[in-house]
Amino acid sequence: MNRGDAGQMATVSIVIPVYNEEAALEPFHTELAKTIGSLPFSFDFYYVDDGSTDETAGILRRLSEADSRVHAIRLSRNFGHQAALTAGLDHASGDILITLDADGQHPPGLIPQMLDLYQSGCDIVLTQRIDEGEQSIFKRGSSAVFYWLLNRLGDTHILPGAADFRLMSREVVDSLKGMREYHRFLRGMVAWLGYRTVIIPYVPSPRIAGSSKYSLRKMVRLAMDAVFSFSLAPLQIGLTLGLFFFVLAIVEVIYVLSFWVRGRADLLAPGWSSLMFMILIVGGVLTTVLGFIGVYVGYIFQEVKGRPVYVARKSEKTESQESSQERKP
Ligand code: UDP
Ligand code: MG
């Protein structure tokens, strides 16, 4: 529907990935429903249960029985936050989509402002954390270094402190759905798409209940997906290092030859330490370069396998929809 089309009420689909959020889910949904209650849009909710092992599935069933606007998509196991978001985007049918976390850290109170910006012509409304006082020093520090590095390495500018709390128009979502890569870093993919984008800063609220579901392992995996999917810089760094040491080796040969030419080869002391140094350095560079190449080969391997990003279980409400994300070769 057109933004200016006052005769029709646009549908807003809210996509929420959930993983073991039994304690936060109900208060979150109550707050969300209250916030959107008076807005002049028709809303529906797509909760994606990312293979939770606690009471999350039961709570979602109850919520969807009590409110027909609530849809629950259940993945067959834990596929991760980005895959869960993708599942939600694939299933949601609204004219406007908003994604946010189920733990209350993305304040639903921002939704009216996001929709106002959409109405005024923006295709994407991004949110940016401005005060991370609630987060640990480790999380803040690692996030700062990560975005600094990412924006130095890649060609796509990715907003530091960007959250997966954003609004997208139907057109943007359809374009995003065309990007079927396995290693997904949605913040970068949305930035890559372009479109009229506006950023609103927000102060994250404290988590409603429970603890972060982003383990260190998941954070490292997301960071790797971001770096290796958005830049070839590690390969270029490897190549530069390799070339540098190649030039160094040539200089060394010329230096040694100069002694032979002058007939003073006897001055060349058997340089065990310098030799070892060179061997180690060159060995190190080679292993690093090979490591980088190895990672890319691994990523290519996973892409060509063409596996779906997630597998959704069939349920009454989603039976008619495709059960897993198709990926075109
Ligand atoms: N989440 C998910 N799958 C995962 C990890 C997290 O769907 O494997 C959900 C989680 O339930 C929450 C959102 O993604 O709604 C963000 O996770 P979390 O709040 O734990 O991350 P943090 O805010 O600590 O970075
Ligand atoms: Mg959170």
Side-chain angles (χ1 to χ4, degrees):
M1 91 139 227
N2 291 326
R3 273 171 251 246
D5 201 346
Q8 262 179 303
M9 200 186 258
T11 320
V12 182
S13 294
I14 304 194
V15 169
I16 310 123
V18 271
Y19 178 52
N20 290 348
E21 301 283 6
E22 58 182 5
L25 203 47
E26 267 171 320
F28 167 80
H29 185 73
T30 311
E31 193 193 340
L32 182 62
K34 206 170 82 198
T35 313
I36 55 121
S38 56
L39 298 174
F41 293 89
S42 140
F43 283 89
D44 49 17
F45 309 93
Y46 289 83
Y47 284 92
V48 184
D49 176 2
D50 188 15
S52 298
T53 49
D54 63 358
E55 278 309 303
T56 297
I59 297 170
L60 283 181
R61 200 172 315 117
R62 275 210 306 281
L63 285 178
S64 62
E65 277 162 12
D67 183 345
S68 62
R69 300 172 304 171
V70 175
H71 303 259
I73 300 145
R74 200 163 160 215
L75 304 191
S76 58
R77 64 168 170 86
N78 181 233
F79 281 88
H81 183 218
Q82 303 290 299
L85 278 170
T86 307
L89 295 180
D90 287 347
H91 285 79
S93 56
D95 305 306
I96 306 161
L97 266 83
I98 296 177
T99 59
L100 80 165
D101 291 351
D103 58 0
Q105 289 190 307
H106 296 164
L110 233 55
I111 293 176
Q113 195 190 344
M114 293 166 96
L115 287 166
D116 278 349
L117 287 164
Y118 169 83
Q119 293 287 45
S120 64
C122 300
D123 300 300
I124 300 173
V125 183
L126 299 180
T127 63
Q128 183 181 30
R129 290 185 300 261
I130 46 165
D131 172 16
E132 298 182 277
E134 286 293 324
Q135 302 216 333
S136 68
I137 292 179
F138 172 71
K139 227 169 181 173
R140 268 185 289 164
S142 56
S143 162
V145 172
F146 169 67
Y147 282 106
W148 182 84
L149 206 68
L150 199 59
N151 282 320
R152 294 281 155 318
L153 294 182
D155 302 327
T156 308
H157 179 76
I158 298 163
L159 188 70
D164 279 311
F165 177 22
R166 68 175 80 81
L167 175 148
M168 290 174 281
S169 68
R170 169 52 51 193
E171 189 184 334
V172 173
V173 173
D174 285 345
S175 307
L176 191 60
K177 281 165 76 175
M179 297 164 79
R180 306 319 274 172
E181 57 225 61
Y182 185 77
H183 292 280
R184 301 175 82 78
F185 179 62
L186 285 164
R187 285 161 226 178
M189 290 162 70
V190 171
W192 182 89
L193 277 174
Y195 287 102
R196 273 162 302 181
T197 303
V198 66
I199 300 156
I200 44 180
Y202 77 99
V203 180
S205 315
R207 210 174 210 286
I208 297 175
S211 56
S212 173
K213 304 300 173 308
Y214 251 98
S215 57
L216 184 62
R217 204 169 132 250
K218 282 181 177 166
M219 272 170 69
V220 169
R221 197 187 302 160
L222 183 70
M224 282 191 53
D225 283 350
V227 171
F228 289 103
S229 301
F230 279 89
S231 100
L232 294 178
L235 279 180
Q236 282 148 6
I237 294 170
L239 191 68
T240 315
L241 276 177
L243 279 176
F244 173 73
F245 284 102
F246 183 65
V247 171
L248 214 63
I250 292 177
V251 171
E252 154 114 15
V253 169
I254 294 171
Y255 177 69
V256 172
L257 276 179
S258 72
F259 283 89
W260 284 93
V261 170
R262 285 185 280 134
R264 301 304 310 268
D266 56 305
L267 284 178
L268 283 172
W272 186 84
S273 48
S274 57
L275 200 64
M276 272 315 268
F277 176 75
M278 284 310 286
I279 289 173
L280 287 177
I281 284 287
V282 173
V285 170
L286 280 181
T287 336
T288 314
V289 176
L290 271 180
F292 284 146
I293 296 172
V295 174
Y296 283 105
V297 171
Y299 271 54
I300 296 166
F301 172 61
Q302 277 172 326
E303 291 295 343
V304 291
K305 270 194 288 188
R307 288 201 183 153
V309 171
Y310 62 84
V311 178
R313 293 162 72 120
K314 292 238 190 299
S315 71
E316 307 84 65
K317 276 200 167 183
T318 53
E319 206 139 37
S320 55
Q321 305 185 18
E322 60 185 286
S323 67
S324 68
Q325 188 214 35
E326 267 176 42
R327 300 176 66 226
K328 291 177 197 90

